[in-house]
Amino acid sequence: MNRQWFKIISPLLLCLVIHSAFSAASDSLQRLLNNRLLENEFSEEQSVLDYLDLTSKLYSDSPAEALYYVSALEQELDANNNKSGKAYILSKKATFYWLQGVYDASLKAYFEALKIFEEDNNKIEIVKTLNNIGETYKKQEDYAQSAKFIKLALEKLDELEEFSPELILVNLGQLFMLKENFDSANYYLNQILNKDSVSTRSKGFTFLYKGIVNRKTGQNDSAQFYLRESLNLWEEIKYDRGIVESNIEIARVYIKQNIYSNANQHLKLAEALALKINALDLLLKIYQSKIDLYRIRGSKDSLVYNFDQYLKVKDSIFNSESRAEINKLSIQYDLAQKEKERYKLALDQSQLANKIENRTQFLILLAVALIISVVLIIYLRSKSIQLKTAHFKLKQQKEEIEQNQQKISSKSLELAKLNKDLHNLNNNLEQRVMERTQKLNERNKQIAEFTYYNSHKLRAPVANVLGLINVMELTKDGKIDPIVLNHLKTSAMELDKVIYNLKNLLDLDEEIEG
C-alpha cells in the first residue's frame, strides 16, 4: 500500500521539484532583468544584446514576461532618446510575437527593424530579417509574399562571403514544396546538396524535403533514399522531432508501395517518440497515416481505434490552440494598451511637430514668396529697360521709315513725270516715224521717177541730138537741112522740158528732206 502511494506521489513530487526549480530560475532571471532596467546602463549596443539574451532564456518559462521585459527596455530607451540596439529590440520582439502566433504584430516589428538595419547598412541582419519576414508570411500562408522576401534575402546574401545561404535555401525549398511547385523546390534544395560544407541540421531538412517532394511526384525509391539519409542525420544529432517526421514520411512511402508491415513499424516508432516529446501536430500526422494504412488493409478495428486517437489529438490540439489564442489575445490586449499610451504621446508630439512644421512651412512659403517677388521685380525691371530700348529703336526706325517714304514719294513723282514724258515722247516718235516713213515712200517714188526720167526721158532727147549732129557731120556740102534743124530744135525743147521736170523733182526732194 505504501509503495502504491509512493508511486502515485513520487511523480507529483518530481513535477513540483522541477516546477520549483524552473520558477526559481525564472524569478532569478526576472530580478536580474529588473536590476538591469533600474541601472539603465544601455549606452552601448552590447549591453542591449546581453539583456535580450536574458529575455530569450526567460521566454521558455514565461513568454508573456519575456515580451514584457523587451517592451520595457524599448520604452526605457525611447524615453531617454537612446537609439542603441533599437533594431535588435524590435527584431527580438518580433520573434516573440512570431512564437506566440501574433503574426501581424510580428511583421510590423520586423519591418521596423529592417528599416533601421538598412539605415545602418547592417547586411547580415538585413538578410536575417528578410528571411524572418518571409517565414512569417509563410505561417500566414501568403506564399507569394513569403517567396518574395526569402528570395530577396538570398539576393542580398550574395554580397556576404562569410554568411552561408543554406538556411534561406532550405526555407525556399520548403516554401515551394508547400506550394507544390516541385521543380522550384528541387532547384533550391539541390543547391544545398551541391555545396561542399553544409551543417548537419540543414542537410537533414534538405534530405527530408527532397524525400517528400519525390514521394509526392511518385519517385518512391528516391524518396526512400533521401528520407533514410535524413533519418540517419537526425539520429546522429539526436533531433527527436526530425526523427519522427522522417519516420512518418518513410511510412507514407511504404504505404504507396503497399509494404504495410514496414509502414506500420515506422509509424509505431514515430508514435512512441512523438508521445515522448508531446508533439501533437506530428501525432495527428501519424494517426492520419495509420487511418490511411488500415483503410487500405481493411482492418476495421484498428481503423476505428486510430480514428478515435486522431480525434482525441485533434481535440487536444484545439484546446492547445484555444489556450494559445487566449494567450495571444492577452498579449494583443497588453500591446493595445501600451500602443494607446504611445499613441497619446505620439499624438502630442505629432501636434507639436505639426505646429512647428506649419510655422516652418509658412516661413518657407514667405521666404519663397519674397524670393519670387524679388526675382519678378528684377525680371520686370529688365523687361522695362528692354522695352524702353526697343521703343527708342522703333522710334528711330519709324523716323527713318518716314524719311525713306518721303524720298520714295518724291522719287515716285519724278518717275511719274519721266514716265509721262517718255510716254509723250513715244507717242511723238511714232507720229514722226509715220511721217518719216511717208516722206521716205514719196522720196523713193520720186527717185524711181527720176531714174525713169534719167533712163528714158532724158536719154531720148540727148540721143536724138547726138543723132542729128552725126547726120549734120555726114552732110557733104556743109548745109544744114531744115528738117534736121527742126528735129534738133524739137529735141532741144524736149531736153529742156525734161531738165525742168528734173529740177521740180529735185526741189521736191529738198522739201522732203527739210
Side-chain angles (χ1 to χ4, degrees):
M1 187 71 178
N2 290 334
R3 288 181 180 179
Q4 290 178 350
W5 276 105
F6 180 75
K7 288 180 180 180
I8 295 172
I9 294 172
S10 58
L12 295 174
L13 292 173
L14 182 61
C15 291
L16 287 173
V17 170
I18 294 172
H19 177 71
S20 299
F22 280 118
S23 296
S26 177
D27 291 341
S28 176
L29 285 172
Q30 290 184 42
R31 282 195 298 272
L32 184 56
L33 290 168
N34 284 323
N35 290 334
R36 292 284 181 90
L37 286 173
L38 292 172
E39 292 170 358
N40 193 18
E41 296 179 355
F42 299 107
S43 57
E44 296 181 2
E45 191 174 87
Q46 187 58 48
S47 59
V48 174
L49 294 176
D50 293 339
Y51 179 94
L52 294 176
D53 286 339
L54 294 175
T55 61
S56 297
K57 294 177 182 178
L58 178 62
Y59 184 85
S60 58
D61 297 328
S62 180
E65 291 294 329
L67 184 57
Y68 165 77
Y69 281 107
V70 173
S71 299
L73 175 61
E74 182 182 16
Q75 292 176 357
E76 184 71 24
L77 295 183
D78 287 344
N80 296 320
N81 197 24
N82 186 351
K83 303 297 182 181
S84 299
K86 174 72 173 180
Y88 291 101
I89 295 170
L90 290 167
S91 181
K92 181 65 71 174
K93 186 166 70 170
T95 301
F96 288 165
Y97 279 132
W98 188 90
L99 292 171
Q100 289 295 316
V102 189
Y103 299 122
D104 290 337
S106 177
L107 279 174
K108 179 183 177 184
Y110 274 135
F111 277 116
E112 290 176 358
L114 178 63
K115 181 180 179 181
I116 299 174
F117 284 136
E118 288 177 341
E119 291 173 355
D120 296 341
N121 197 26
N122 191 334
K123 295 181 179 180
I124 293 177
E125 293 301 327
I126 289 172
V127 171
K128 290 180 179 179
T129 307
L130 287 171
N131 181 66
N132 290 337
I133 290 172
E135 286 297 296
T136 307
Y137 277 122
K138 190 193 295 183
K139 286 291 184 180
Q140 292 182 321
E141 298 183 359
D142 188 346
Y143 296 134
Q145 286 291 91
S146 177
K148 172 185 173 182
F149 282 95
I150 296 177
K151 285 182 178 179
L152 188 58
L154 189 60
E155 291 174 4
K156 296 284 186 181
L157 196 61
D158 292 339
E159 304 172 7
L160 302 174
E161 296 180 357
E162 70 277 9
F163 197 79
S164 174
E166 59 188 49
L167 177 61
I168 298 174
L169 292 172
V170 168
N171 289 336
L172 279 171
Q174 182 195 23
L175 172 64
F176 285 110
M177 180 195 74
L178 294 172
K179 293 174 65 176
E180 296 191 352
N181 187 344
F182 299 127
D183 290 337
S184 297
N186 277 323
Y187 171 77
Y188 290 109
L189 294 173
N190 288 335
Q191 286 191 45
I192 302 172
L193 296 181
N194 291 333
K195 290 186 176 296
D196 296 332
S197 178
V198 181
S199 67
T200 304
R201 191 180 182 88
S202 296
K203 189 179 291 185
F205 280 115
T206 303
F207 284 137
L208 175 62
Y209 298 148
K210 284 281 289 183
I212 294 173
V213 169
N214 286 324
R215 174 178 65 79
K216 289 185 176 182
T217 55
Q219 303 175 58
N220 295 323
D221 292 337
S222 296
Q224 283 284 11
F225 169 76
Y226 286 116
L227 291 171
R228 289 195 176 277
E229 287 294 321
S230 69
L231 182 60
N232 292 335
L233 291 173
W234 299 141
E235 289 176 347
E236 179 182 337
I237 62 174
K238 296 180 181 180
Y239 180 52
D240 292 337
R241 187 177 177 86
I243 294 171
V244 174
E245 287 191 87
S246 294
N247 275 303
I248 293 171
E249 294 301 327
I250 291 171
R252 287 179 174 176
V253 176
Y254 277 132
I255 291 172
K256 290 186 71 175
Q257 293 176 325
N258 298 326
I259 306 176
Y260 303 127
S261 59
N262 289 351
N264 190 39
Q265 180 181 357
H266 281 280
L267 288 173
K268 284 183 177 179
L269 291 172
E271 182 183 7
L273 189 54
L275 288 169
K276 178 181 177 182
I277 61 175
N278 195 29
L280 299 180
D281 58 326
L282 296 180
L283 280 171
L284 204 62
K285 290 182 180 180
I286 293 167
Y287 291 128
Q288 180 63 61
S289 298
K290 283 190 172 185
I291 290 169
D292 295 338
L293 171 63
Y294 292 121
R295 183 184 293 115
I296 296 170
R297 295 182 65 178
S299 302
K300 185 177 179 181
D301 293 339
S302 298
L303 178 63
V304 172
Y305 171 77
N306 284 286
F307 188 74
D308 288 340
Q309 294 295 110
Y310 176 84
L311 292 177
K312 289 179 181 178
V313 173
K314 192 170 184 179
D315 290 340
S316 178
I317 290 176
F318 176 77
N319 292 332
S320 297
E321 289 177 349
S322 297
R323 287 193 296 272
E325 187 67 23
I326 292 170
N327 189 28
K328 180 167 61 176
L329 291 173
S330 175
I331 291 172
Q332 288 176 336
Y333 174 79
D334 293 338
L335 178 65
Q337 293 299 319
K338 291 176 182 178
E339 286 294 329
K340 285 180 181 179
E341 295 176 1
R342 292 178 186 175
Y343 175 77
K344 184 178 178 182
L345 179 61
L347 185 62
D348 294 338
Q349 292 176 344
S350 176
Q351 290 175 348
L352 180 60
N354 287 335
K355 290 180 180 178
I356 296 172
E357 184 178 359
N358 290 335
R359 291 180 182 177
T360 304
Q361 290 178 351
F362 174 75
L363 291 174
I364 292 172
L365 289 173
L366 184 60
V368 170
L370 288 172
I371 293 170
I372 293 173
S373 300
V374 171
V375 171
L376 187 60
I377 290 170
I378 295 171
Y379 174 76
L380 292 174
R381 178 66 178 170
S382 64
K383 280 293 180 182
S384 177
I385 294 171
Q386 291 177 2
L387 288 173
K388 287 181 179 179
T389 305
H391 179 71
F392 179 73
K393 289 181 179 179
L394 287 173
K395 187 176 180 181
Q396 288 181 334
Q397 291 175 357
K398 182 181 177 182
E399 292 175 354
E400 291 176 359
I401 290 170
E402 289 176 351
Q403 292 174 0
N404 291 332
Q405 284 179 344
Q406 291 176 357
K407 291 179 181 179
I408 291 169
S409 180
S410 61
K411 290 289 183 182
S412 297
L413 293 173
E414 292 177 1
L415 289 173
K417 184 178 179 181
L418 290 173
N419 189 29
K420 184 178 180 181
D421 294 341
L422 181 62
H423 181 70
N424 294 331
L425 183 62
N426 287 336
N427 291 335
N428 295 333
L429 182 62
E430 288 179 2
Q431 183 68 28
R432 292 177 65 185
V433 168
M434 290 174 64
E435 292 175 355
R436 189 72 173 170
T437 302
Q438 185 178 1
K439 289 179 179 181
L440 288 174
N441 289 334
E442 290 177 357
R443 184 176 182 185
N444 289 335
K445 184 178 179 182
Q446 291 173 353
I447 290 171
E449 290 178 358
F450 177 79
T451 304
Y452 175 77
Y453 272 95
N454 186 42
S455 62
H456 293 89
K457 300 288 184 178
L458 181 61
R459 284 189 64 85
V462 171
N464 290 332
V465 170
L466 289 175
L468 289 174
I469 291 172
N470 288 332
V471 170
M472 288 174 67
E473 287 178 352
L474 291 176
T475 304
K476 292 180 180 182
D477 54 5
K479 296 181 177 180
I480 300 172
D481 189 357
I483 297 170
V484 173
L485 185 61
N486 188 35
H487 282 298
L488 180 62
K489 185 178 178 181
T490 301
S491 296
M493 290 175 70
E494 289 178 354
L495 180 61
D496 181 63
K497 186 179 181 179
V498 169
I499 290 171
Y500 180 77
N501 289 334
L502 285 172
K503 180 179 179 298
N504 289 335
L505 287 172
L506 291 172
D507 290 341
L508 182 61
D509 182 50
E510 288 178 359
E511 291 178 1
I512 291 171
E513 288 178 356

